Amino acid sequence: MRVLLHSTSKLNTNHASAAGQRLYVTMFPCNECAKIIIQSGVAQVVYFVEKRLNSPDVAYIASHKLLSLSFVYNVYIQFCTLVC
């Protein structure tokens, strides 16, 4: 059995405030993680794996909309730009 742990679930249990901070994640946040990010007050999400709106994976359409409506700025960084 595989277990997937979303690291953003730790944002609400951490004693330090995340309000106004920058969050670095590997993949673009899913719907549930986007809700947690918005509730914790994170101002910017930096991610390395894009989930595109026009892809067949429609699960990320809502998270794109949630984050943009909540004025959470998203930054996509291609891994090659850091390593190459």
Side-chain angles (χ1 to χ4, degrees):
M1 174 164 51
R2 295 177 69 187
V3 177
L4 177 64
L5 176 64
H6 296 248
S7 60
T8 53
S9 62
K10 297 291 183 187
L11 283 174
N12 286 344
T13 60
N14 191 356
H15 296 289
S17 174
Q21 299 299 312
R22 183 179 298 141
L23 177 67
Y24 291 88
V25 295
T26 304
M27 297 178 68
F28 189 83
C30 67
N31 298 342
E32 296 303 315
C33 288
K35 293 176 194 176
I36 294 170
I37 290 168
I38 293 165
Q39 290 175 352
S40 63
V42 169
Q44 184 178 40
V45 177
V46 179
Y47 59 96
F48 297 98
V49 178
E50 173 69 89
K51 292 291 186 180
R52 301 201 185 275
L53 292 174
N54 57 0
S55 74
D57 187 7
V58 296
Y60 288 87
I61 293 174
S63 58
H64 274 278
K65 287 183 180 179
L66 281 170
L67 292 171
S68 65
L69 289 173
S70 301
F71 303 105
V72 177
Y73 184 64
N74 301 313
V75 177
Y76 171 58
I77 298 178
Q78 292 182 349
F79 186 71
C80 187
T81 60
L82 298 175
V83 179
C84 299

